[in-house]
């Protein structure tokens, strides 16, 4: 059974329809990459799943339970965690306090302060440092760690490699590989298709607010995904939301 099911989700910014009837599902331990050009609606979709942006219509189900109008903090408590674009850490608070803040979600499980630090070893020497003093890659690790502290059923990651050096991106994805091995489901928004093919089980391509194609990573080619990216192949497969 799917951990997360998104059924017919639509979301707007004022009069602009940013997400137009998206269907998606993510199985236990599955990594789904969400790709598409700037403005395709990826961030709005993740924020809508997380309950930060209100859906105009459609449903989000977690383990078969419809989340309805549950606000963002309730969704975190239910098991939906978002690592937002830009990280949004408490810059003057220590790394340890940034992680501990997430225990207020009240979910217990495999991830504790100790196991998060073990999975993200680059944080160990920095626990007492203000989060704002860390490098971009280290800050991204804190953001991932903070999300893990809520013991999510599904982790939503929005452009985690944005603005990081290639070495830092390697570090972030190495951390995510550890998380994936622990069975946490993920939706990853990523612009770098090489990374997408390296880290995901399934790919969904968004164009102008819709999922225009999706499939197992092993069944798709980079050229195919690039074609969907710019809409060249959209006409042939429109409506294929899975
Ligand atoms: P990017 O990779 O640039 O973040 P995206 O695929 O994540 O793109 P969104 O950020 O979800 O796309 O944007 C979808 C559409 O909604 C775009 O047309 C964008 O201009 C618009 N949009 C996004 N945020 C807002 C906002 N706060 N107010 C008004 N329009 C917005």
């Amino acid at each position: 059974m799917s951990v997360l099911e998104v059924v017919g989700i639509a979301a707007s910014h004022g009069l602009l329809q940013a997400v137009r009837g998206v269907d998606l599902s993510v199985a236990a331990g599955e990594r789904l990459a969400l790709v598409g050009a700037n403005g395709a609606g990826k961030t709005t979709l993740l924020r809508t799943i997380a309950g930060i942006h209100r859906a105009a219509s459609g449903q989000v189900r977690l383990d078969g339970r419809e989340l309805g109008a549950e606000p963002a903090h309730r969704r975190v408590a239910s098991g939906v965690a978002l690592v937002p674009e830009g990280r949004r850490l408490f810059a003057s608070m220590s790394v340890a306090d940034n992680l501990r803040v997430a225990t207020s979600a009240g979910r217990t499980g495999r991830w504790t302060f100790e196991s998060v630090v073990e999975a993200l070893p680059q944080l160990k020497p920095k626990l007492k440092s203000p989060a704002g003093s860390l490098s971009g890659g280290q800050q991204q690790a804190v953001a991932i760690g903070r999300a893990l502290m809520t013991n999510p059923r599904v982790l939503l990651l929005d452009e985690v490699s944005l603005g990081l050096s290639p070495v830092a991106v390697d570090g972030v994805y190495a951390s995510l590989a550890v998380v994936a091995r622990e069975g946490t489901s993920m939706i990853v928004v990523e612009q770098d298709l090489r990374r997408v093919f390296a880290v995901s089980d399934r790919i969904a391509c968004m164009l102008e607010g819709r999922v225009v194609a999706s499939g197992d990573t092993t069944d798709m080619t980079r050229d195919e995904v690039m074609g969907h990216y710019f809409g060249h192949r959209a006409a042939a497969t429109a409506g294929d939301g899975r």
Side-chain angles (χ1 to χ4, degrees):
M1 190 173 107
S2 299
V3 169
L4 180 79
E5 272 179 293
V6 170
V7 185
I9 280 287
S12 300
H13 298 284
L15 292 177
L16 182 105
Q17 258 196 296
V19 176
R20 302 160 179 256
V22 164
D23 297 332
L24 281 179
S25 63
V26 189
E30 189 174 47
R31 286 165 296 174
L32 173 71
L34 197 56
V35 305
N38 286 346
K42 306 177 299 292
T43 295
T44 305
L45 177 59
L46 289 196
R47 286 169 58 83
T48 306
I49 294 170
I52 297 164
H53 194 92
R54 208 161 57 88
S57 56
Q59 296 189 341
V60 177
R61 297 183 197 134
L62 190 68
D63 294 314
R65 184 173 71 84
E66 151 68 353
L67 299 184
E70 254 185 23
H73 70 277
R74 286 286 318 144
R75 292 190 188 205
V76 174
S78 297
V80 180
L82 172 69
V83 178
E85 197 177 333
R87 307 184 273 271
R88 312 254 168 96
L89 300 177
F90 298 106
S92 59
M93 273 167 53
S94 70
V95 168
D97 286 346
N98 267 276
L99 294 176
R100 288 205 178 96
V101 127
T103 53
S104 61
R107 284 177 63 83
T108 54
R110 186 250 177 268
W111 297 107
T112 60
F113 183 81
E114 288 71 26
S115 64
V116 164
V117 174
E118 200 176 305
L120 304 167
Q122 64 269 52
L123 297 185
K124 212 173 256 177
K126 299 287 181 185
L127 288 173
K128 291 186 176 149
S129 307
S133 71
L134 270 56
S135 70
Q138 289 166 337
Q139 289 194 26
Q140 195 57 270
V142 178
I144 291 168
R146 183 178 59 183
L148 288 178
M149 289 285 288
T150 68
N151 279 288
R153 296 280 294 142
V154 61
L155 187 56
L156 311 173
L157 298 136
D158 197 359
E159 305 220 18
V160 285
S161 53
L162 202 68
L164 302 185
S165 70
V167 172
V169 177
D170 284 344
V172 167
Y173 276 102
S175 306
L176 291 179
V178 175
V179 176
R181 278 200 294 277
E182 296 298 330
T184 304
S185 307
M186 294 184 215
I187 301 182
V188 183
V189 170
E190 174 58 67
Q191 296 284 1
D192 180 345
L193 287 187
R194 196 175 49 86
R195 299 268 176 200
V196 164
F197 276 90
V199 304
S200 62
D201 304 302
R202 217 145 47 82
I203 300 174
C205 306
M206 278 190 84
L207 180 73
E208 295 172 359
R210 295 190 169 87
V211 172
V212 290
S214 70
D216 288 349
T217 306
T218 47
D219 295 338
M220 293 178 103
T221 65
R222 228 167 123 159
D223 282 351
E224 206 178 330
V225 173
M226 281 307 287
H228 289 303
Y229 218 90
F230 296 113
H232 305 152
R233 304 176 69 104
T237 51
D240 175 12
R242 293 189 48 83

